[in-house]
Amino acid sequence: MKSFGIIIPARYASTRFPGKPLQDLGGKSMIQRVVEAAKFVAPHAGVAVATDDIRIAEHVADYCEVVMTSSVHPSGTDRCAEALEKLGWNCEIVVNLQGDEPFIKTQQIHDLVAAFNDPIVQIATLKKWIQAEEDINNPNVVKVVCSNQNKALYFSRSTIPYQRNNENSQLRYFKHLGVYAFLNPILKEVVQLPVSTLESTEMLEQLRWLENGYHISVIETNFASPAVDTPDDVAKAMAYLNSMD
């Protein structure tokens, strides 16, 4: 397996859920659970939290390396790139693990890293088969379509592919899960690209990478943790946590 490090971008000033990384989940903060999951993946892999808020930095300082980053980054990817520069890691792959993924599975990270055994892969991410009908037409659920070689063809908030005749009962739709892994130099490259037309239209940064010709490998997973986007989602996360006991 190629060498890798995990950077966890975490900001306090979320519009829908201020202070989300510090939300208590069963006696531990959300960010602490993400850090513990990341460290469990590989004992020798570097793990660091990238934040712009001193409250988060002080909270995690006792159990994880912390990098203070700019408060004006438009995405977690940009925050990861700044953190990578400050950390000076020379690992081959950088995993961008969002600070609201407390239930990430070890196998999912290993699958992302293993994708780079194919030398043409520059970026890797995850997808999951959508089985809830309401999610297929939900613009908050990002869909992805791929080639037979698992290369991303397009990501969209719209329903893709569109069934013109509505006759293909075997068609499967896939949800994109926003966990990424990058070749170290590729992460540094993509954040230098100007915002693209498709990206600004759909508000999906990965479209910028596609428009610029980067090879994004998409690995299917059978697991998707409960999303914690608003305070109302905490109850779902706690229910899931309790089901794991």
Side-chain angles (χ1 to χ4, degrees):
M1 180 177 290
K2 294 182 182 293
S3 62
F4 67 94
I6 301 174
I7 299 178
I8 305 167
R11 66 189 187 99
Y12 191 94
S14 168
T15 303
R16 290 186 291 175
F17 194 168
K20 179 168 62 171
L22 302 182
Q23 170 65 44
D24 181 83
L25 292 178
K28 296 179 181 180
S29 67
M30 185 180 304
I31 190 67
Q32 182 176 352
R33 290 191 178 276
V34 177
V35 168
E36 289 178 352
K39 288 187 172 183
F40 189 73
V41 171
H44 303 297
V47 176
V49 171
T51 187
D52 62 349
D53 193 280
I54 192 64
R55 288 164 289 190
I56 295 175
E58 291 178 345
H59 177 75
V60 303
D62 289 340
Y63 55 84
C64 187
E65 187 168 9
V66 183
V67 180
M68 293 301 296
T69 56
S70 169
S71 61
V72 298
H73 285 310
S75 72
T77 303
D78 295 277
R79 196 174 305 284
C80 283
E82 182 187 349
L84 177 63
E85 182 178 356
K86 290 182 173 179
L87 288 163
W89 286 352
N90 61 0
C91 53
E92 296 167 279
I93 297 163
V94 181
V95 177
N96 172 357
L97 177 58
Q98 297 296 328
D100 57 1
E101 288 285 347
F103 308 120
I104 192 76
K105 299 292 188 184
T106 297
Q107 188 60 50
Q108 292 176 302
I109 302 298
H110 285 170
D111 288 346
L112 285 175
V113 175
F116 294 91
N117 291 334
D118 184 339
I120 68 172
V121 174
Q122 297 170 302
I123 304 168
T125 191
L126 299 172
K127 68 178 181 180
K128 185 181 185 298
W129 177 26
I130 298 175
Q131 295 177 290
E133 188 72 25
E134 62 269 22
D135 286 347
I136 294 174
N137 298 308
N138 184 347
N140 293 317
V141 176
V142 177
K143 274 70 69 175
V144 59
V145 291
C146 304
S147 71
N148 291 335
Q149 292 74 40
N150 298 316
K151 178 183 179 181
L153 298 175
Y154 196 68
F155 299 85
S156 182
R157 298 183 183 279
S158 297
T159 303
I160 55 172
Y162 174 74
Q163 291 201 58
R164 181 177 179 182
N165 297 318
N166 200 29
E167 293 177 350
N168 189 352
S169 61
Q170 303 302 311
L171 182 63
R172 297 204 299 171
Y173 294 90
F174 286 92
K175 173 184 179 179
H176 173 233
L177 307 182
V179 181
Y180 297 103
F182 303 83
L183 288 175
N184 189 317
I186 296 299
L187 174 58
K188 298 171 184 176
E189 286 182 12
V190 296
V191 296
Q192 299 301 319
L193 298 170
V195 173
S196 72
T197 302
L198 291 176
E199 175 187 10
S200 60
T201 300
E202 297 241 27
M203 296 305 293
L204 298 173
E205 63 175 334
Q206 61 270 40
L207 293 178
R208 184 196 323 178
W209 314 334
L210 281 185
E211 280 193 85
N212 283 277
Y214 286 91
H215 186 117
I216 305 176
S217 179
V218 186
I219 299 94
E220 184 174 356
T221 179
N222 293 321
F223 175 79
S225 59
V228 185
D229 296 319
T230 70
D232 291 340
D233 294 328
V234 174
K236 300 175 187 176
M238 284 302 304
Y240 177 79
L241 183 62
N242 293 332
S243 73
M244 297 170 62
D245 295 336

